[in-house]
């Protein structure tokens, strides 16, 4: 019997992995392709959630699901043009400070506009309910999150590894000067990367708003976990982030099964262990700029 | 904007360098000094996981000050609030000292975190300044850590447990039932679970699961699976702040049907859960449906000013300032030293309930009525604030108010 319960926790952990993947994917993209340590990633996640709450009464949840990530991505374009652009080649500590400040400004703005109390928001009634596989239980909404996360991963992978756009961006990571010498301006590409990464944070915000509290500090709440996933996966590694998200989900689930107080600490222990054995993370690449 | 220059780039840099987590920068809201005013300090967390409650606390105390000043102030002097974000115990202690020594406040109102309340209480004792705790529940504050200058309008954990426990007994939810509890893994949760477990086991219930939940957990699914596997009769929450919102939402998401109850609760976290998610029986020190004339007047004034009904946290801070104003008027003096004596003499106060409350001299706990509420079906809610029905008042009309108060077990030894 205990084995069945463990198996259920493992499968649920994979589902929770989709949750971690959604919050980490955009962070990893901007980190790997732009070299920006985006501490404001969680704040954009919060903006996505607040947009979902604001837009759903007007557009319905489906409308908000499409519109919110696009609006957050648009905000990403502005942020890249105004700020990120100045920091691609400078000391990473500068972009770290910039995005830290940005995160505080956004969190405080949300508090001033919407108040500190959590805003009510639920899963739309059409998406409620559970699916039973044998005796295992899966909320339909989590399965939808899993599907969307999968789709986001595949779309992002195709874009970065199977299109001309992706080739330029990846070349830019390795050798921006050479790309420039070939007559290609990297700037519009980097704007697109930032918009994509920040838009993904918005997408995570919309999807998770129905199952977690929508309050100003919600971004700060998930930021650390997102970083842990990216670090475990390895800088610059697309598949690493996916493996890390699944691993964190499963390890956390099993830890809670045996010793609940260490539930959240388990991901940090996992990170320490991975870094001890593989300092570049699970599937990290060697990137000249960061050596 | 006199203090906007506090927020220099250097402050930001310092903050960034020292913090790995995000901490909001609070701007002190200090009004210019005047000699013909009575200054009152207000300290409560408005950032972090107790922030949502802190905001309601500030709304309550501001409304009280407005009403007092509109009626001519106290002893012909206006009340002036000095409001700050208490952030954490270290900051709370430093700010309490600054309020007393630099801003010369007559007394301090506020706090939600038991750890920060303890820190402020120590400053209060050292400086012989009254501090009324409006939101910290730990029994230890009324026990081993008690002192003659720290007063509690907020209920102790044991009072919350007895209040809701009375109704759980009536509903046959304790005797012979299997309980599964989730407890916030810090001082408040541990203290609450200790008294809750004592109450449940003494009344014939049994715990088959008792999981601690780290305060930074946002996903509850592994816990929910464990609960489903254990098949308890009752699921009990000893969680805190935003944790309760996440828990309620995901409990509904997983469609678990075991009845829920909780020993610690604030209305704001349930308002924030959204339609169709909130369920169970919960204790409250006050709620906006309490049917007394003074309570209705407060709800109307609050709703008119802020566009939403007051939360139980607003009640505490609103009443504390009213109590202080009334005491100064009765004493015909705003002498901070004498305030503690006056409050400890058992003066009675209208705290918007059907019976008046008073601070008992043993531990400075306000002895008063409490309530339990039951979540409403979502199709019966009139609006987003209408989420529960009152179950009634404890103690009953013929019972001594003190039956609810923490036991006088001798742990509190008031020093002079």
């Amino acid at each position: 019997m205990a084995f069945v319960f463990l198996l259920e926790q493992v499968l649920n952990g994979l589902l929770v992995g989709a949750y971690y993947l959604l919050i980490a994917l955009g962070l990893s993209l901007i980190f790997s392709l732009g070299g920006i340590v985006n501490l404001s990633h969680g704040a954009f996640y919060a903006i996505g959630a607040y947009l979902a709450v604001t837009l759903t009464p007007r557009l319905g949840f489906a409308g908000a699901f499409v519109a919110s990530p696009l609006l957050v991505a648009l905000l990403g374009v502005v942020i890249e043009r105004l700020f990120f652009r100045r920091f691609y080649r400078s000391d990473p500590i500068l972009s770290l400070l910039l995005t830290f400040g940005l995160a505080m400004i956004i969190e405080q703005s949300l508090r001033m506009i919407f108040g500190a109390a959590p805003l009510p928001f639920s899963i739309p009634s059409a998406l409620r309910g559970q699916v039973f596989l044998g005796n295992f239980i899966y909320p339909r909404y989590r399965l939808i999150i899993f599907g969307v996360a999968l789709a986001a991963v595949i779309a992002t992978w195709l874009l970065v590894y199977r299109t001309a756009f992706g080739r330029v961006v990846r070349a830019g990571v390795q050798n921006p000067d050479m790309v420039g010498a070939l007559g290609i301006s990297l700037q519009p590409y980097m704007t697109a990367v930032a918009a994509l990464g920040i838009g993904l944070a918005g997408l995570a915000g919309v999807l998770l708003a129905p199952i977690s509290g929508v309050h100003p500090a919600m971004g700060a709440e998930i930021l650390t976990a997102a970083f842990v996933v990216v670090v475990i996966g390895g800088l610059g590694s697309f598949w690493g982030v996916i493996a890390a998200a699944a691993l964190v989900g499963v390890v956390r689930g099993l830890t809670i099964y045996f010793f609940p107080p260490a539930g959240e600490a388990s991901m940090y222990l996992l990170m320490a262990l991975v870094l001890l054995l593989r300092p570049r993370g699970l599937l990290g690449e060697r990137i000249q700029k960061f050596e | 904007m006199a203090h906007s220059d506090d927020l220099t780039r250097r402050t930001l840099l310092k903050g960034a360098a020292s913090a790995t987590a995000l901490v909001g920068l609070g701007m002190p809201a200090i009004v210019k000094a005047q000699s013909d005013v009575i200054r009152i300090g207000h300290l409560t967390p408005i950032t972090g996981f107790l922030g949502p409650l802190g905001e309601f606390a500030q709304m309550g105390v501001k409304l009280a000050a407005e009403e007092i000043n509109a009626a001519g102030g106290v002893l012909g002097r206006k009340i002036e609030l000095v409001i700050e974000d208490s952030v954490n115990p270290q900051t709370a202690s430093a700010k309490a000292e600054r309020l007393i020594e630099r801003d010369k406040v007559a007394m301090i109102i506020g706090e939600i975190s038991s750890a920060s309340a303890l820190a402020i209480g120590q400053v209060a004792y050292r400086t012989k300044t009254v501090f009324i705790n409006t939101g910290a529940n730990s029994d230890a504050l009324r026990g081993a850590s008690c002192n003659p200058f720290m007063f509690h309008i907020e209920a102790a954990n044991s009072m919350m447990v007895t209040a809701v426990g009375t109704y759980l007994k009536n509903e046959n939810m304790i005797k012979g039932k299997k309980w599964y509890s989730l407890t916030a893994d810090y001082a408040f949760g541990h203290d609450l679970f200790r008294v809750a477990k004592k109450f449940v086991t003494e009344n014939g219930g049994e715990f088959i699961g008792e999981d601690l939940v780290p305060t930074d957990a946002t996903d509850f699914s592994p816990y929910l699976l464990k609960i489903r596997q254990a098949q308890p009769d009752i699921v009990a929450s000893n969680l805190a702040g935003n944790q309760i919102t996440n828990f309620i939402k995901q409990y509904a998401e997983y469609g678990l049907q075991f009845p829920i109850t909780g020993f610690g609760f604030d209305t704001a976290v349930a308002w924030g859960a959204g339609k169709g998610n909130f369920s169970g029986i919960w204790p409250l020190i006050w709620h906006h449906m309490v049917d007394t004339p003074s309570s209705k007047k407060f709800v109307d004034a609050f709703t008119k000013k802020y566009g939403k009904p007051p939360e139980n946290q607003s009640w505490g801070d609103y009443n504390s300032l009213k109590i202080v104003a009334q005491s100064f008027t009765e004493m015909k003096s705003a002498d901070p030293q004498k305030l503690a004596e006056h409050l400890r003499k058992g003066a009675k106060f209208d705290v918007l309930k059907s019976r008046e409350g008073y601070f008992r001299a043993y531990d400075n706990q306000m002895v008063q009525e409490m309530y339990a509420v039951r979540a409403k079906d979502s199709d019966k809610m009139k609006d987003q604030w209408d989420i529960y029905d009152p179950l009634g008042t404890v103690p009953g009309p013929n019972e001594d108010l003190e039956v609810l108060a923490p036991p006088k077990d001798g742990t509190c030894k008031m020093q002079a």
Side-chain angles (χ1 to χ4, degrees), chain B residues 299-321:
Chain B
V299 173
D300 287 346
F302 191 100
T303 312
K304 196 167 156 227
K305 184 169 162 66
Y306 298 112
K308 54 181 163 190
E311 207 257 359
N312 47 290
Q313 188 59 52
S314 311
W315 169 89
D317 298 74
Y318 175 87
N319 280 291
S320 297
L321 187 56

mmCIF file of all heavy atoms in Angstrom, chain B residues 299-321:
data_model
loop_
_atom_site.group_PDB
_atom_site.id
_atom_site.type_symbol
_atom_site.label_atom_id
_atom_site.label_comp_id
_atom_site.label_asym_id
_atom_site.label_seq_id
_atom_site.Cartn_x
_atom_site.Cartn_y
_atom_site.Cartn_z
ATOM 1 N N VAL B 299 -19.158 49.435 11.117
ATOM 2 C CA VAL B 299 -19.154 48.823 9.781
ATOM 3 C C VAL B 299 -19.578 49.850 8.727
ATOM 4 O O VAL B 299 -18.955 49.965 7.671
ATOM 5 C CB VAL B 299 -20.077 47.584 9.733
ATOM 6 C CG1 VAL B 299 -20.199 47.053 8.314
ATOM 7 C CG2 VAL B 299 -19.544 46.498 10.658
ATOM 8 N N ASP B 300 -20.626 50.644 9.053
ATOM 9 C CA ASP B 300 -21.090 51.651 8.095
ATOM 10 C C ASP B 300 -20.020 52.694 7.817
ATOM 11 O O ASP B 300 -19.748 53.034 6.668
ATOM 12 C CB ASP B 300 -22.362 52.344 8.631
ATOM 13 C CG ASP B 300 -23.573 51.429 8.545
ATOM 14 O OD1 ASP B 300 -23.468 50.403 7.832
ATOM 15 O OD2 ASP B 300 -24.604 51.722 9.184
ATOM 16 N N ALA B 301 -19.412 53.225 8.899
ATOM 17 C CA ALA B 301 -18.398 54.269 8.726
ATOM 18 C C ALA B 301 -17.219 53.735 7.934
ATOM 19 O O ALA B 301 -16.677 54.405 7.042
ATOM 20 C CB ALA B 301 -17.944 54.782 10.094
ATOM 21 N N PHE B 302 -16.805 52.509 8.239
ATOM 22 C CA PHE B 302 -15.648 51.906 7.573
ATOM 23 C C PHE B 302 -15.952 51.683 6.090
ATOM 24 O O PHE B 302 -15.162 52.024 5.216
ATOM 25 C CB PHE B 302 -15.297 50.580 8.250
ATOM 26 C CG PHE B 302 -13.979 49.991 7.818
ATOM 27 C CD1 PHE B 302 -12.844 50.145 8.608
ATOM 28 C CD2 PHE B 302 -13.861 49.273 6.635
ATOM 29 C CE1 PHE B 302 -11.633 49.601 8.223
ATOM 30 C CE2 PHE B 302 -12.651 48.721 6.238
ATOM 31 C CZ PHE B 302 -11.534 48.888 7.043
ATOM 32 N N THR B 303 -17.129 51.109 5.815
ATOM 33 C CA THR B 303 -17.498 50.801 4.430
ATOM 34 C C THR B 303 -17.602 52.084 3.617
ATOM 35 O O THR B 303 -17.213 52.123 2.451
ATOM 36 C CB THR B 303 -18.836 50.032 4.399
ATOM 37 O OG1 THR B 303 -18.764 48.966 5.353
ATOM 38 C CG2 THR B 303 -19.103 49.454 3.025
ATOM 39 N N LYS B 304 -18.111 53.142 4.254
ATOM 40 C CA LYS B 304 -18.248 54.413 3.550
ATOM 41 C C LYS B 304 -16.870 54.977 3.196
ATOM 42 O O LYS B 304 -16.642 55.474 2.098
ATOM 43 C CB LYS B 304 -19.000 55.396 4.450
ATOM 44 C CG LYS B 304 -19.529 56.600 3.710
ATOM 45 C CD LYS B 304 -20.520 57.380 4.575
ATOM 46 C CE LYS B 304 -20.555 58.826 4.092
ATOM 47 N NZ LYS B 304 -20.457 59.791 5.189
ATOM 48 N N LYS B 305 -15.920 54.843 4.124
ATOM 49 C CA LYS B 305 -14.594 55.425 3.911
ATOM 50 C C LYS B 305 -13.753 54.602 2.949
ATOM 51 O O LYS B 305 -13.015 55.140 2.146
ATOM 52 C CB LYS B 305 -13.888 55.554 5.266
ATOM 53 C CG LYS B 305 -12.518 56.242 5.202
ATOM 54 C CD LYS B 305 -12.034 56.557 6.617
ATOM 55 C CE LYS B 305 -10.538 56.832 6.691
ATOM 56 N NZ LYS B 305 -10.101 58.039 5.997
ATOM 57 N N TYR B 306 -13.818 53.258 3.056
ATOM 58 C CA TYR B 306 -12.869 52.427 2.307
ATOM 59 C C TYR B 306 -13.507 51.583 1.197
ATOM 60 O O TYR B 306 -12.813 50.881 0.478
ATOM 61 C CB TYR B 306 -12.124 51.498 3.260
ATOM 62 C CG TYR B 306 -11.296 52.223 4.291
ATOM 63 C CD1 TYR B 306 -11.643 52.194 5.640
ATOM 64 C CD2 TYR B 306 -10.165 52.947 3.915
ATOM 65 C CE1 TYR B 306 -10.889 52.850 6.593
ATOM 66 C CE2 TYR B 306 -9.402 53.616 4.857
ATOM 67 C CZ TYR B 306 -9.766 53.562 6.204
ATOM 68 O OH TYR B 306 -9.015 54.215 7.139
ATOM 69 N N GLY B 307 -14.844 51.590 1.107
ATOM 70 C CA GLY B 307 -15.484 50.847 0.025
ATOM 71 C C GLY B 307 -15.536 49.345 0.237
ATOM 72 O O GLY B 307 -15.831 48.597 -0.684
ATOM 73 N N LYS B 308 -15.177 48.884 1.417
ATOM 74 C CA LYS B 308 -15.339 47.463 1.743
ATOM 75 C C LYS B 308 -15.551 47.326 3.239
ATOM 76 O O LYS B 308 -15.167 48.223 4.004
ATOM 77 C CB LYS B 308 -14.124 46.660 1.299
ATOM 78 C CG LYS B 308 -12.794 47.163 1.821
ATOM 79 C CD LYS B 308 -11.677 46.289 1.269
ATOM 80 C CE LYS B 308 -10.323 46.937 1.401
ATOM 81 N NZ LYS B 308 -9.275 46.248 0.689
ATOM 82 N N PRO B 309 -16.177 46.229 3.686
ATOM 83 C CA PRO B 309 -16.422 46.094 5.121
ATOM 84 C C PRO B 309 -15.117 45.884 5.894
ATOM 85 O O PRO B 309 -14.121 45.437 5.324
ATOM 86 C CB PRO B 309 -17.317 44.855 5.214
ATOM 87 C CG PRO B 309 -17.180 44.150 3.926
ATOM 88 C CD PRO B 309 -16.734 45.129 2.902
ATOM 89 N N PRO B 310 -15.108 46.226 7.188
ATOM 90 C CA PRO B 310 -13.910 46.045 7.999
ATOM 91 C C PRO B 310 -13.629 44.559 8.257
ATOM 92 O O PRO B 310 -14.557 43.760 8.334
ATOM 93 C CB PRO B 310 -14.228 46.767 9.300
ATOM 94 C CG PRO B 310 -15.713 46.796 9.369
ATOM 95 C CD PRO B 310 -16.207 46.828 7.959
ATOM 96 N N GLU B 311 -12.370 44.239 8.382
ATOM 97 C CA GLU B 311 -11.930 42.887 8.698
ATOM 98 C C GLU B 311 -11.685 42.838 10.202
ATOM 99 O O GLU B 311 -11.602 43.888 10.852
ATOM 100 C CB GLU B 311 -10.637 42.655 7.911
ATOM 101 C CG GLU B 311 -10.338 41.227 7.564
ATOM 102 C CD GLU B 311 -9.284 40.652 8.453
ATOM 103 O OE1 GLU B 311 -8.784 41.390 9.316
ATOM 104 O OE2 GLU B 311 -8.965 39.472 8.287
ATOM 105 N N ASN B 312 -11.555 41.625 10.779
ATOM 106 C CA ASN B 312 -11.370 41.531 12.230
ATOM 107 C C ASN B 312 -10.115 42.276 12.702
ATOM 108 O O ASN B 312 -10.067 42.782 13.808
ATOM 109 C CB ASN B 312 -11.339 40.074 12.699
ATOM 110 C CG ASN B 312 -10.446 39.204 11.864
ATOM 111 O OD1 ASN B 312 -10.763 38.923 10.709
ATOM 112 N ND2 ASN B 312 -9.319 38.798 12.399
ATOM 113 N N GLN B 313 -9.083 42.374 11.828
ATOM 114 C CA GLN B 313 -7.884 43.098 12.241
ATOM 115 C C GLN B 313 -8.181 44.593 12.405
ATOM 116 O O GLN B 313 -7.668 45.223 13.330
ATOM 117 C CB GLN B 313 -6.753 42.872 11.230
ATOM 118 C CG GLN B 313 -5.403 43.422 11.677
ATOM 119 C CD GLN B 313 -4.944 42.800 12.982
ATOM 120 O OE1 GLN B 313 -4.917 41.590 13.118
ATOM 121 N NE2 GLN B 313 -4.602 43.640 13.953
ATOM 122 N N SER B 314 -9.027 45.142 11.538
ATOM 123 C CA SER B 314 -9.392 46.561 11.660
ATOM 124 C C SER B 314 -10.094 46.807 12.995
ATOM 125 O O SER B 314 -9.903 47.847 13.621
ATOM 126 C CB SER B 314 -10.337 46.986 10.536
ATOM 127 O OG SER B 314 -9.854 46.592 9.293
ATOM 128 N N TRP B 315 -10.905 45.833 13.402
ATOM 129 C CA TRP B 315 -11.629 45.944 14.671
ATOM 130 C C TRP B 315 -10.666 46.198 15.833
ATOM 131 O O TRP B 315 -10.892 47.063 16.674
ATOM 132 C CB TRP B 315 -12.429 44.646 14.907
ATOM 133 C CG TRP B 315 -13.010 44.520 16.283
ATOM 134 C CD1 TRP B 315 -14.218 44.964 16.699
ATOM 135 C CD2 TRP B 315 -12.373 43.922 17.421
ATOM 136 N NE1 TRP B 315 -14.381 44.682 18.036
ATOM 137 C CE2 TRP B 315 -13.267 44.043 18.499
ATOM 138 C CE3 TRP B 315 -11.147 43.301 17.639
ATOM 139 C CZ2 TRP B 315 -12.969 43.565 19.778
ATOM 140 C CZ3 TRP B 315 -10.841 42.831 18.898
ATOM 141 C CH2 TRP B 315 -11.751 42.966 19.954
ATOM 142 N N GLY B 316 -9.574 45.428 15.898
ATOM 143 C CA GLY B 316 -8.634 45.512 17.011
ATOM 144 C C GLY B 316 -7.974 46.871 17.117
ATOM 145 O O GLY B 316 -7.904 47.464 18.201
ATOM 146 N N ASP B 317 -7.510 47.391 15.996
ATOM 147 C CA ASP B 317 -6.779 48.653 16.017
ATOM 148 C C ASP B 317 -7.721 49.839 16.223
ATOM 149 O O ASP B 317 -7.383 50.809 16.895
ATOM 150 C CB ASP B 317 -5.955 48.797 14.734
ATOM 151 C CG ASP B 317 -4.917 47.685 14.641
ATOM 152 O OD1 ASP B 317 -5.304 46.539 14.351
ATOM 153 O OD2 ASP B 317 -3.729 47.947 14.910
ATOM 154 N N TYR B 318 -8.930 49.736 15.629
ATOM 155 C CA TYR B 318 -9.953 50.774 15.821
ATOM 156 C C TYR B 318 -10.319 50.873 17.300
ATOM 157 O O TYR B 318 -10.274 51.943 17.905
ATOM 158 C CB TYR B 318 -11.180 50.411 14.980
ATOM 159 C CG TYR B 318 -12.383 51.311 15.150
ATOM 160 C CD1 TYR B 318 -12.519 52.470 14.399
ATOM 161 C CD2 TYR B 318 -13.393 50.982 16.054
ATOM 162 C CE1 TYR B 318 -13.631 53.285 14.539
ATOM 163 C CE2 TYR B 318 -14.507 51.792 16.204
ATOM 164 C CZ TYR B 318 -14.629 52.946 15.452
ATOM 165 O OH TYR B 318 -15.723 53.749 15.597
ATOM 166 N N ASN B 319 -10.622 49.740 17.904
ATOM 167 C CA ASN B 319 -11.052 49.753 19.308
ATOM 168 C C ASN B 319 -9.938 50.143 20.262
ATOM 169 O O ASN B 319 -10.188 50.799 21.273
ATOM 170 C CB ASN B 319 -11.611 48.392 19.695
ATOM 171 C CG ASN B 319 -13.032 48.223 19.227
ATOM 172 O OD1 ASN B 319 -13.933 48.875 19.728
ATOM 173 N ND2 ASN B 319 -13.218 47.402 18.211
ATOM 174 N N SER B 320 -8.712 49.751 19.953
ATOM 175 C CA SER B 320 -7.604 50.084 20.847
ATOM 176 C C SER B 320 -7.462 51.591 20.986
ATOM 177 O O SER B 320 -7.312 52.124 22.092
ATOM 178 C CB SER B 320 -6.297 49.493 20.338
ATOM 179 O OG SER B 320 -6.392 48.094 20.331
ATOM 180 N N LEU B 321 -7.529 52.293 19.852
ATOM 181 C CA LEU B 321 -7.379 53.742 19.923
ATOM 182 C C LEU B 321 -8.581 54.367 20.659
ATOM 183 O O LEU B 321 -8.407 55.289 21.454
ATOM 184 C CB LEU B 321 -7.230 54.344 18.517
ATOM 185 C CG LEU B 321 -6.902 55.841 18.497
ATOM 186 C CD1 LEU B 321 -5.636 56.135 19.297
ATOM 187 C CD2 LEU B 321 -6.727 56.352 17.070
#
